[in-house]
Amino acid sequence: MKFRSKQALLSLFVAAALGGVVIADAAAAPTSAKSKKSPKAEAMFPEATREEPGIKPSAKAGKKLQKLIDVYNKDDAEQTRVLADEILALDVANEYDRSVAAQLAAQAAYNLDDIPAAKAYLKQALEIGGLDNNGHFQSMLMLAQLQLGDDELQEGLATLDRYLAESGSKKADDLALKGQALYQLERFQEAIPVLKQAIDSTPEPKDNWVQLLMAAYAESDQNDAAIALAEQLVAKNPNDKKTQVNLATIYAQADRMDKAAEVMEKLRAAGQLTEEREYRQLYVTYANMDGREKDVIAVINEGVQKGVLKQDYQTYVALAQSYYYSEQIPQAIDAWQKAAPLSKDGETYLNLARVLWQEGRVPEAKQAAQQALAKGVKKPEDARKIINLK
């Protein structure tokens, strides 16, 4: 999936078993290139292992470079790229001239939504190596963000690891970005300590970092830790429906269906179940609990009556099974009759035929068995037995 946007480069939707844990944006937009570098600017990376190159603009290309900077500051992205390309092709331009040109061209290309070009310019800037540490490492971080945003996860993580190692950055945002990259690569155990470090390194960690850590715990079967974090988020945001639904999902994944149902039922009682997936999450939770067939029926019927829950195959089958196991056979038959035409094969028609036969409704059972054969079943002989009933 793609995560790129002008406003927020990376985001994540983690699909979970019963509705999904939703994780908001985990990283800000790419670090912008700076149009001017002050020699007295505060060092952003005091623990960097790279030595400052100490290169200044060349005399022969200085005027062109200043013109480029002026155009860039006027937000003329297209002309910025034209002038930057001219400097990059100049034999008299030194490493500083060409590095700044590549850096500004990268930002201009990004602003024009030309992400491949932006990445290529950033690689040029880093290879030429004429920027000061502030510009050099900002460019490296932007490259990592763009690579990750284009689902180049291995390349993006490699660039990010290089950035963290060479810049010495321990910024929470940078660590969270690495944690997200590891999560997307399904390296959940590795993502956990990185995300914990990001969260512990700031007095006010972002909720989405905690959500991502919670999802990493869940994916690595550390359910107790996932539940603790989910409960922490709910305690912090008691009126946020998303955190409540996430908590119910984590409970369900840990086979604590009673707790999952309790959370979702409170939302239902408060009239906060407004999406199909939420009603489906609740009735599936009840369906996985012994003796809760009547609750399944109540939730499905309410969702259908409100027009929130689709009257599809999955809904009708769940309804039919719940009616059947609660000994409401006529209602079960009615639900199976609605489900069968929506099935991809004839198995549901065959189940309907069996129930109709059990109820002594032989002509209807034979008809259902014929429809089962027409749609295809794994054991056609079972359908023929019903068709051949005397």
Side-chain angles (χ1 to χ4, degrees):
M1 55 183 140
K2 297 293 183 185
F3 300 114
R4 184 175 69 247
S5 71
K6 288 292 293 265
Q7 288 72 32
L9 187 64
L10 299 178
S11 62
L12 184 63
F13 182 86
V14 182
L18 294 172
V21 178
V22 178
I23 300 175
D25 298 332
T31 304
S32 297
K34 302 299 182 182
S35 62
K36 294 185 179 181
K37 300 289 187 285
S38 169
K40 295 183 181 179
E42 181 181 353
M44 297 172 62
F45 306 97
E47 297 183 27
T49 59
R50 176 182 185 257
E51 290 187 12
E52 295 275 8
I55 307 172
K56 297 181 179 180
S58 67
K60 294 183 178 180
K63 289 184 179 180
K64 283 185 174 291
L65 184 62
Q66 186 58 55
K67 183 178 179 182
L68 167 63
I69 292 171
D70 291 341
V71 169
Y72 172 78
N73 285 334
K74 293 177 182 178
D75 294 325
D76 189 340
E78 292 182 359
Q79 187 63 16
T80 294
R81 287 186 63 176
V82 171
L83 296 178
D85 286 337
E86 290 178 4
I87 293 173
L88 286 166
L90 275 180
D91 291 335
V92 295
N94 66 14
E95 289 87 349
Y96 179 85
D97 303 326
R98 291 186 289 119
S99 295
V100 171
Q103 185 189 35
L104 297 185
Q107 188 64 44
Y110 176 77
N111 292 341
L112 291 168
D113 288 324
D114 189 349
I115 306 305
K119 290 186 290 187
Y121 281 126
L122 289 168
K123 289 176 182 177
Q124 272 188 285
L126 296 173
E127 289 167 4
I128 296 167
L131 295 172
D132 64 11
N133 278 357
N134 285 359
H136 182 82
F137 290 118
Q138 283 181 298
S139 295
M140 194 179 296
L141 177 59
M142 183 176 178
L143 176 59
Q145 291 172 317
L146 291 176
Q147 288 170 326
L148 293 171
D150 269 350
D151 280 343
E152 298 169 0
L153 299 179
Q154 296 287 1
E155 298 91 334
L157 181 59
T159 303
L160 187 58
D161 277 338
R162 178 187 169 194
Y163 161 79
L164 291 169
E166 294 180 13
S167 71
S169 172
K170 296 181 178 62
K171 296 176 183 176
D173 287 298
D174 298 343
L175 293 169
L177 181 59
K178 179 176 179 178
Q180 178 170 311
L182 288 167
Y183 183 94
Q184 289 176 249
L185 285 166
E186 299 184 2
R187 292 161 60 177
F188 306 119
Q189 291 285 5
E190 295 174 67
I192 288 169
V194 177
L195 291 167
K196 287 183 68 177
Q197 186 180 356
I199 291 167
D200 293 342
S201 66
T202 176
E204 294 185 3
K206 296 176 182 177
D207 285 347
N208 47 39
W209 300 351
V210 182
Q211 290 170 348
L212 189 56
L213 178 58
M214 175 184 69
Y217 277 133
E219 292 287 357
S220 56
D221 295 323
Q222 298 184 49
N223 292 321
D224 289 344
I227 288 171
L229 277 175
E231 291 175 339
Q232 175 185 326
L233 283 175
V234 168
K236 185 177 179 181
N237 304 290
N239 298 318
D240 182 45
K241 183 175 73 171
K242 181 178 68 178
T243 60
Q244 300 272 0
V245 173
N246 283 347
L247 175 60
T249 299
I250 296 298
Y251 278 140
Q253 289 176 320
D255 281 334
R256 296 176 64 177
M257 296 296 178
D258 55 336
K259 297 288 289 183
E262 180 182 340
V263 173
M264 295 300 294
E265 197 57 63
K266 285 181 180 178
L267 291 174
R268 179 187 170 207
Q272 290 186 272
L273 299 189
T274 57
E275 298 180 29
E276 181 186 12
R277 64 182 180 86
E278 295 163 356
Y279 268 97
R280 198 175 299 277
Q281 179 168 345
L282 180 53
Y283 84 65
V284 169
T285 299
Y286 279 134
N288 281 279
M289 300 170 68
D290 292 334
R292 303 302 293 267
E293 289 83 9
K294 291 183 179 179
D295 292 303
V296 175
I297 294 166
V299 172
I300 290 177
N301 284 335
E302 179 181 290
V304 168
Q305 289 167 5
K306 288 185 174 181
V308 178
L309 199 55
K310 292 180 182 177
Q311 299 180 55
D312 57 14
Y313 174 77
Q314 185 178 354
T315 299
Y316 283 129
V317 165
L319 192 58
Q321 291 173 342
S322 297
Y323 275 131
Y324 183 80
Y325 288 113
S326 61
E327 299 183 358
Q328 300 180 67
I329 308 304
Q331 294 90 331
I333 290 173
D334 180 66
W336 264 313
Q337 286 173 331
K338 293 175 180 175
L342 304 175
S343 176
K344 63 181 180 180
D345 54 38
E347 298 297 335
T348 305
Y349 270 118
L350 185 54
N351 287 334
L352 172 61
R354 290 176 179 133
V355 175
L356 288 167
W357 178 21
Q358 291 170 4
E359 293 299 298
R361 296 163 62 172
V362 176
E364 292 173 87
K366 288 183 177 185
Q367 184 180 9
Q370 289 280 12
Q371 290 171 305
L373 278 180
K375 292 196 77 169
V377 289
K378 295 178 182 178
K379 294 182 178 182
E381 61 272 17
D382 290 353
R384 291 192 184 98
K385 287 179 182 177
I386 296 174
I387 293 170
N388 295 326
L389 288 171
K390 300 298 184 182

